[in-house]
Amino acid sequence: MDVAQSRKQAAPGAPAAFARFVLCGGGVGIASSLAVAGLASWIPWALANALITVVSTLLATELHARFTFGAGGRATWRQHTQSAGSVAAAYAVTCMAMLALHQLAAAPGAVLEQVVYLSASALAGVARFAVLRLVVFARSRSHVAGAGAGRATRPVPCVSTPAVPAGLCRAA
């Protein structure tokens, strides 16, 4: 059995994947919230949010690839790129929420800012879960789940490339 194939995990069902998503993404989100608040004392809030969003997205996508969606390995550049699209929307939601807060309250306290930021992040997170599960990591899940689905499959020829060394190709 190939080493790469033996490392693949069975894809978790939606409830388990969502629980893992909340644990991994929520942990990164809370840490990000604190980091944005701290960094915003030195630079404008929107810039602090953008910087922390980039770093937290890279970290969260890796966690989701390895643990949340059962991909069994590191996230690919394609997955990082697709994940970045969902984060752009989440960034817009958090910025709009904070802008609305500052329009409604002249000097909101740190606790209110955190409540609004985390609420907006949670709302965006639910949408992000759907995008990640149904689009970004769907191929990985279907490949792992499809192996035992009872459908007849044709073997896919292995072509040696720089990304797939000849040693990983099995003889037909």
Side-chain angles (χ1 to χ4, degrees):
M1 180 177 275
D2 289 338
V3 174
Q5 188 177 9
S6 66
R7 288 188 53 191
K8 293 210 185 243
Q9 307 166 358
F18 188 74
R20 292 176 184 183
F21 178 82
V22 169
L23 183 65
C24 293
V28 170
I30 290 170
S32 296
S33 174
L34 296 173
V36 167
L39 194 57
S41 66
W42 294 333
I43 62 176
W45 186 89
L47 180 59
N49 190 22
L51 292 172
I52 296 303
T53 297
V54 168
V55 172
S56 65
T57 299
L58 292 171
L59 175 61
T61 302
E62 283 297 326
L63 289 171
H64 294 320
R66 294 175 189 220
F67 305 113
T68 303
F69 298 107
R74 295 194 60 169
T76 65
W77 282 110
R78 178 191 61 82
Q79 290 167 329
H80 276 292
T81 302
Q82 289 176 328
S83 179
S86 69
V87 168
Y91 173 75
V93 168
T94 56
C95 283
M96 288 188 301
M98 293 303 285
L99 180 64
L101 173 63
H102 285 276
Q103 292 297 316
L104 296 172
V111 172
L112 181 57
E113 284 184 336
Q114 289 298 298
V115 167
V116 169
Y117 179 80
L118 290 173
S119 297
S121 293
L123 178 64
V126 171
R128 187 165 143 68
F129 171 78
V131 169
L132 292 176
R133 181 167 171 84
L134 300 173
V135 178
V136 177
F137 295 104
R139 184 174 306 188
S140 297
R141 288 186 310 105
S142 64
H143 174 63
V144 173
R151 289 182 270 153
T153 59
R154 294 187 335 225
V156 177
C158 183
V159 178
S160 178
T161 66
V164 182
L168 291 180
C169 293
R170 288 191 268 163

